[in-house]
Amino acid sequence: MIGGGRSLVVAAVVLGVGLAVSALPAAAQGRLELGVGVGAVSGHPVGGADATLTPNTGTAAGGFTLFSTESELEAATALDLRLGWRLSRIFAVEAGLGYATPNVATRVTGDAEAGSPRLDTVLSQWIVDGSVVAHLTALEAVGGRLRPFLVGGLGYLRQLDASSALVASGGVVHAGGGVKYAVWNPTDSWVKRVGVRAELRFLIRNDGFDFEDRRRTSVSGFASVFLAIF
Amino acid sequence: MKVRGTWRAATALALAVVLAGASPLEAYLKLGFSQDPDQVLRWGPGTIRYFVGDRDLPGVSGEAFRQAVGRAFASWEAVPTATATFDEVGFTGLSPLSEDGVTTVGFEDLFDFDERVLAVTSLLTRTGSGEIIEADIAFNAAVAWSTDGQGGFDVESIAVHEIGHLLGLGHSAIGETELRPTGGRRVIASETAMFPIAFSSGSTEGRLLQADDRAGVSDLYPTPEFQQATGSISGRVQKGGASVVGAHVVAFNLQTEDLVGSFTVGGDGRFVVAGLPPGPYLLRVEPLDDADPDSFFDDVAAVDVEFRVGFASRIVTVRAGADAAVDLEVVSK
């Protein structure tokens, strides 16, 4: 499961930045924000294993290794859908849905009879997350069109195999930041802002597809377009 | 080492373990497949009652033998996912090789077997149903035995192996051997009590049941929880579009590092590795070319050993109560 203490730290940082700036009516920015983007998620190791046999008397001490494996969840491109609700000029909450198809590359080593084959297992990976976003209004530029933000939150990870059956599930804590740039900013329309968004996140994964059940870290980056309405 | 699969009176099957003999191999195999792939040899419901032979040998008293055999039965009975239970009735002067309706474990002069044979298990089964009605285990009285691991072959280790046969398990091939300069083969390592060649004299490693053994006995005598909590991997092994018979398929759990094996049996190259806890598995397939395939199969002419060791192209995820289908393609040597 996700470490609650870590998420509290992320929330506290976001809150601190937000309090340092003044708040203006949220409606002027468009309360509801929809976004869709593409990006990439970095890979990370998912563990190794040794196929060890019990040695006979007078043979290898400590076990006879028939073969060993090392596996890595490789970097993958990802799609990201985001729905945000602006609470104030500074704060917003977001719900996100991420999808990727990372490959688990498994290398077999030490097998005297089989060389070093590589196995490829493609997963379907879904992440549903919730985030708090703090817009750094004090750092706005380009007449308010360019707006940096910090983001942090929690997510639920599901990884499926080729038959769409659940392989593993887990939790994700994320924290990061980025910028939004309003390409179109109408004043007399229900559409309040249309723009692009770039974002970098640091991810800490618990559970999920991992042979050692260890906490893993990775980085994701996304570029997206957004539409703010109402 | 040599494992025998000879029928006695059309309903009995004998199996043996040898010293450092001729053949090796791996994975658990339910007895009876070679007669009828759909018929498995197993005991009916209820506790299996057995007698212990009262013959003493130098260095092994009847009482020490009884206790070692009792510990071996207890090891199988302790498998939490299997229902097999045993009850020792007492000592007997009956021969362990007599067909008398009494299951007996004891020392015997095995003049009819290869001198390297350590012990033999013979089964008397009900024709048609495959139900075991008597099983005798005869330890070769000409061998030096020990019950404390101090010189001689370990009675408890060999008893664990033979009780596996008594329960209906065949040989497993999860192990590696090397050729001996004097002929035959010597075990380098194994990860199953049902490997057909014993560890060297003085070793007590064979006392421990491994994942392959636990899966095998649980598949034969499953608890309801075992059936619900485990899954299987099945498929075919092919070489150039043709079915491969006698291939040894091992499922390796990438989280627990347990090994459970099976073979392709029948003419269609099909295999089933059952009794697998849920998790990610790597499948390895290898030919039975380390030893004499008749340790495992009666019809050795059909066994194909002319292919290279291979792996499934992806990790296979096993889910509780479900079967994962995976076909394996191998290439000729």
Side-chain angles (χ1 to χ4, degrees):
Chain A
M1 290 303 296
I2 299 164
R6 193 179 303 274
S7 60
L8 285 177
V9 171
V10 173
V13 171
V14 172
L15 185 63
V17 173
L19 289 175
V21 296
S22 61
L24 293 175
Q29 308 298 317
R31 283 199 177 275
L32 187 64
E33 187 172 297
L34 309 171
V36 56
V38 295
V41 182
S42 70
H44 57 77
V46 292
D50 296 324
T52 305
L53 310 183
T54 302
N56 193 5
T57 304
T59 57
F64 175 90
T65 302
L66 187 61
F67 59 84
S68 300
T69 68
E70 279 295 334
S71 298
E72 180 182 2
L73 187 74
E74 296 184 320
T77 56
L79 295 175
D80 186 63
L81 296 176
R82 213 137 280 283
L83 177 65
W85 181 255
R86 185 175 283 270
L87 303 173
S88 69
R89 187 162 184 262
I90 298 169
F91 290 113
V93 290
E94 284 187 347
L97 177 65
Y99 174 72
T101 55
N103 178 54
V104 178
T106 301
R107 180 73 69 183
V108 180
T109 59
D111 191 321
E113 300 176 89
S116 300
R118 172 186 156 127
L119 286 63
D120 292 299
T121 308
V122 177
L123 301 179
S124 295
Q125 175 175 290
W126 299 86
I127 298 178
V128 178
D129 66 54
S131 306
V132 174
V133 180
H135 297 91
L136 307 179
T137 52
L139 301 178
E140 286 180 354
V142 197
R145 287 178 178 270
L146 185 68
R147 181 170 301 163
F149 66 88
L150 296 176
V151 62
L154 310 173
Y156 172 67
L157 168 72
R158 281 179 71 89
Q159 291 166 312
L160 313 177
D161 68 9
S163 61
S164 296
L166 178 65
V167 172
S169 60
V172 179
V173 177
H174 65 265
V179 294
K180 295 178 183 177
Y181 181 77
V183 177
W184 186 38
N185 207 1
T187 57
D188 57 351
S189 169
W190 59 275
V191 176
K192 303 299 183 185
R193 289 162 66 93
V194 175
V196 294
R197 165 174 166 161
E199 172 178 358
L200 204 61
R201 291 186 177 193
F202 180 71
L203 308 170
I204 301 173
R205 257 176 217 206
N206 278 345
D207 299 327
F209 193 83
D210 196 300
F211 305 140
E212 297 173 348
D213 289 332
R214 290 176 56 184
R215 185 172 293 178
R216 307 289 184 180
T217 59
S218 60
V219 176
S220 68
F222 287 92
S224 58
V225 295
F226 70 86
L227 169 69
I229 57 178
F230 305 128
Chain B
M1 145 56 186
K2 189 99 168 152
V3 173
R4 299 299 181 96
T6 54
W7 284 94
R8 190 155 52 102
T11 53
L13 177 63
L15 294 149
V17 171
V18 249
L19 300 180
S23 31
L25 297 189
E26 50 273 306
Y28 81 80
L29 190 64
K30 286 176 281 191
L31 294 180
F33 74 92
S34 57
Q35 287 74 43
D36 178 353
D38 296 324
Q39 184 181 87
V40 173
L41 306 186
R42 63 161 68 92
W43 292 83
T47 297
I48 301 168
R49 305 176 77 229
Y50 68 95
F51 286 84
V52 178
D54 60 1
R55 181 173 174 181
D56 292 332
L57 288 182
V60 180
S61 67
E63 177 58 22
F65 180 79
R66 186 190 69 81
Q67 291 183 14
V69 169
R71 290 193 297 271
F73 273 108
S75 293
W76 287 101
E77 194 171 279
V79 175
T81 50
T83 60
T85 56
F86 309 95
D87 181 30
E88 182 205 309
V89 180
F91 283 112
T92 179
L94 295 171
S95 166
L97 289 182
S98 61
E99 288 181 18
D100 47 20
V102 176
T103 291
T104 305
V105 183
F107 290 113
E108 185 60 85
D109 299 314
L110 300 179
F111 299 126
D112 294 337
F113 292 87
D114 187 304
E115 63 181 5
R116 293 168 296 181
V117 170
L118 291 174
V120 176
T121 300
S122 64
L123 305 181
L124 191 64
T125 63
R126 203 177 301 283
T127 303
S129 69
E131 181 184 354
I132 301 170
I133 53 179
E134 178 190 346
D136 293 330
I137 299 174
F139 284 71
N140 192 340
V143 171
W145 293 99
S146 160
T147 57
D148 58 6
Q150 303 299 313
F153 282 92
D154 184 49
V155 169
E156 184 177 339
S157 297
I158 302 307
V160 165
H161 177 101
E162 296 303 327
I163 293 167
H165 291 320
L166 174 148
L167 286 165
L169 291 174
H171 280 140
S172 173
I174 301 179
E176 294 292 317
T177 64
E178 61 185 1
L179 291 170
R180 291 154 46 107
T182 55
R185 288 182 175 271
R186 175 178 183 273
V187 178
I188 299 172
S190 73
E191 197 65 4
T192 170
M194 298 311 295
F195 196 69
I197 307 176
F199 280 134
S200 299
S201 175
S203 172
T204 59
E205 296 286 359
R207 295 178 178 182
L208 298 176
L209 295 179
Q210 306 292 352
D212 187 62
D213 310 310
R214 293 190 293 270
V217 71
S218 301
D219 193 35
L220 279 174
Y221 305 93
T223 61
E225 295 77 17
F226 176 80
Q227 291 175 310
Q228 294 168 0
T230 60
S232 61
I233 301 173
S234 67
R236 295 179 66 193
V237 178
Q238 292 184 298
K239 182 177 70 174
S243 299
V244 177
V245 177
H248 182 220
V249 181
V250 177
F252 173 59
N253 188 313
L254 289 159
Q255 288 178 317
T256 65
E257 301 184 338
D258 284 339
L259 293 157
V260 178
S262 187
F263 299 89
T264 57
V265 295
D268 59 359
R270 294 201 63 80
F271 69 89
V272 179
V273 189
L276 300 175
Y281 287 84
L282 178 152
L283 271 191
R284 181 180 189 265
V285 56
E286 65 178 351
L288 294 177
D289 60 359
D290 286 328
D292 190 348
D294 73 3
S295 295
F296 305 91
F297 298 98
D298 288 346
D299 183 13
V300 296
V303 175
D304 185 349
V305 297
E306 295 302 320
F307 64 91
R308 295 178 183 171
V309 172
F311 289 85
S313 60
R314 62 178 174 85
I315 294 169
V316 182
T317 302
V318 170
R319 287 176 290 279
D323 179 70
V326 179
D327 288 337
L328 297 161
E329 182 71 26
V330 296
V331 298
S332 298
K333 286 182 176 176

